[in-house]
């Protein structure tokens, strides 16, 4: 692995740093899990896109800069180091877009990607169902073939971004007679304001609607919104989960910036006699650096034409558990101040008597992290966000099964 940067890459880093220094809001945006914050983050996506910083690795024709994975990682480091806002377009940019690049048609890419890059269309992820979380093959929502398209029926849950988003993507059972559960699934896109779609927000532990339930009642979707071949949804979805668990969901730049913040908090507020907490801070810094180096190693493999494959499960287990540890250390360091919140659960909390979700947060609900600022309230919100990490994008129990069976060659356990 070459740890050096070329002159062009260093120049790219400097341009990104300069732009971010001039444009990152001087005050943190409101939480993107609120209507006000969602709108503010959408506007930020537009500002990024105006100078082609929203999707740097995409081809220029779709709004990107056409740079490689090294430059993307460099940009991510600079982005989070600058304290820039969380990305409300993350579901679309990190999950749907790679799927369209691999399996979409030229017409779909031309129609979907530019408005996604500009933040004009925000995408929700709609894979999981009340009885199909980590086990996506058991999903029951259906897609029935009709003239010119498909009719969707069923329920999706723990759909990240859906409370305020414009469109969603997910899988539906299109062939009830398929010989295996993971066959006969079709990958579709659909608008959240279409006739027959009901969106019911789900409040997070702090009351903010980070997720939503979707109820689909005879929702028509045209053929042009099918991704890949009908019945091949599982194969396509597995490629998407690889993106989610691997490089794109949690880039190391975010954790490097978080570890730096924790180190500053320690230097400002830490008790040198508390060696146990001091060691946790040191572990957080070392962990962020180790994750950075692991990611750079994966990037080198990508550039050599290799794939991460089941190794993406290693990424997912590491960053999801690391995220909790670093926020716990910060809250212990700050004491009562770190637990302050800007408000009690607000009006977006589900009304009393609303049906409770039938299953825990699912595989592949990937909320965006909170903004990277330095106030104690952000540590608290970051901790709330981190708690879901071992569950979404495929539970860590599932990831450990994958690691045991596919990477270590151990026999399958009983499920």
């Amino acid at each position: 692995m070459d740890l050096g940067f070329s002159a062009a890459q260093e120049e790219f880093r400097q341009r990104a740093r300069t732009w971010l220094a001039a444009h990152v809001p001087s005050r943190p945006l409101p939480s993107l899990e609120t209507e006000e914050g969602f709108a503010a983050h959408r506007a930020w996506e537009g500002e990024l896109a105006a100078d082609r910083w929203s999707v740097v690795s995409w081809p220029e024709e779709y709004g990107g800069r056409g740079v490689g994975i090294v430059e993307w990682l460099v940009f991510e480091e600079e982005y989070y180091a600058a304290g820039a806002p969380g990305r409300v377009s993350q579901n679309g940019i990190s999950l749907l877009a790679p799927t369209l690049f691999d399996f979409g048609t030229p017409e779909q890419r031309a129609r979907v990607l530019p408005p996604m890059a500009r933040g004009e269309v925000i995408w929700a992820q709609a894979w999981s169902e009340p009885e199909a979380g980590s086990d996506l093959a058991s999903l029951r929502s259906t897609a029935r073939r009709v003239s010119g398209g498909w009719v969707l029926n069923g329920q999706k849950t723990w759909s990240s971004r859906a409370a305020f988003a414009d469109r969603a993507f997910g899988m539906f059972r299109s062939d009830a007679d398929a010989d295996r559960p993971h066959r006969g699934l079709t990958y579709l896109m659909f608008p959240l304001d279409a006739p027959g779609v009901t969106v019911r927000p789900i409040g997070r532990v702090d009351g903010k609607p980070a997720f939503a339930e979707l109820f689909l009642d005879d929702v028509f979707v045209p053929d042009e919104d099918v991704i890949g071949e009908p019945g091949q949804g599982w194969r396509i979805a597995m490629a998407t989960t690889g993106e989610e668990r691997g490089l794109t969901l949690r880039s190391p730049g975010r954790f490097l910036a978080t570890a730096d913040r924790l180190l500053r908090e320690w230097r400002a507020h830490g008790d040198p006699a508390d060696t146990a907490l001091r060691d946790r801070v040191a572990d957080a810094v070392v962990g962020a650096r180790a994750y950075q180096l692991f990611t750079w190693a994966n990037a080198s493999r990508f550039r050599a034409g290799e794939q991460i494959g089941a190794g993406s499960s290693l990424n997912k287990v590491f960053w999801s558990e690391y995220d909790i540890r670093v926020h716990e250390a910060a809250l212990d360091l700050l004491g009562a101040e770190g637990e302050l919140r800007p408000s009690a659960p607000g009006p977006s909390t589900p009304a009393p008597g609303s049906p409770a979700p039938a299953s825990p947060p699912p595989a592949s609900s990937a909320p965006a992290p909170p903004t990277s600022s330095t106030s104690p309230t952000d540590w608290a919100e970051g901790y709330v966000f981190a708690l879901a990490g071992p569950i979404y994008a495929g539970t860590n129990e599932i990831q450990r099964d994958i690691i045991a069976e596919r990477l270590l060659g151990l026999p399958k356990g009983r499920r």
Side-chain angles (χ1 to χ4, degrees), residues 13-233:
R13 180 187 293 278
Q14 190 56 51
R15 275 192 290 140
R17 184 177 298 173
T18 300
W19 190 91
L20 289 164
H23 290 83
V24 169
S26 58
R27 301 180 63 181
L29 301 182
S31 169
L32 58 79
E33 311 298 356
T34 64
E35 186 171 5
E36 176 193 13
F38 198 91
H41 283 77
R42 187 196 290 268
W44 169 247
E45 294 290 337
E47 187 170 349
L48 284 168
D51 288 324
R52 293 181 178 269
W53 290 110
S54 66
V55 286
V56 295
S57 61
W58 288 12
E60 293 184 5
E61 65 185 295
Y62 303 125
R65 290 172 173 260
V67 299
I69 191 170
V70 170
E71 287 79 4
W72 175 76
L73 286 166
V74 165
F75 176 74
E76 289 284 298
E77 290 182 2
E78 294 300 321
Y79 187 88
Y80 285 103
R87 302 294 302 275
V88 72
S89 285
Q90 184 191 46
N91 281 334
I93 291 172
S94 298
L95 301 177
L96 179 58
T99 305
L100 290 174
F101 281 126
D102 289 342
F103 299 98
T105 65
E107 185 278 331
Q108 287 175 331
R109 289 191 283 270
R111 172 166 52 93
V112 172
L113 296 180
M116 179 193 296
R118 295 190 295 268
E120 295 169 357
V121 176
I122 305 295
W123 289 82
Q125 194 179 61
W127 284 12
S128 294
E129 300 181 2
E131 297 182 10
S134 292
D135 183 13
L136 280 176
S138 62
L139 61 82
R140 297 179 178 178
S141 293
T142 61
R144 176 171 52 87
R145 194 77 172 93
V146 296
S147 176
W150 301 78
V151 171
L152 309 183
N153 280 283
Q155 179 186 354
K156 299 289 184 179
T157 192
W158 299 113
S159 181
S160 57
R161 300 281 84 78
F164 308 113
D166 306 293
R167 292 176 64 85
F169 55 93
M171 282 199 302
F172 294 82
R173 190 163 299 284
S174 54
D175 182 1
D177 298 324
D179 58 349
R180 301 186 67 176
H182 63 276
R183 293 176 181 165
L185 301 173
T186 296
Y187 205 131
L188 292 131
M189 302 178 283
F190 57 95
L192 291 174
D193 61 354
V197 177
T198 300
V199 179
R200 182 179 295 172
I202 299 174
R204 204 171 52 182
V205 67
D206 62 0
K208 298 187 178 79
F211 305 97
E213 292 175 291
L214 305 178
F215 298 89
L216 307 166
D217 184 12
D218 287 338
V219 178
F220 176 77
V221 177
D223 283 327
E224 65 183 15
D225 279 342
V226 174
I227 302 177
E229 293 295 322
Q232 297 299 310

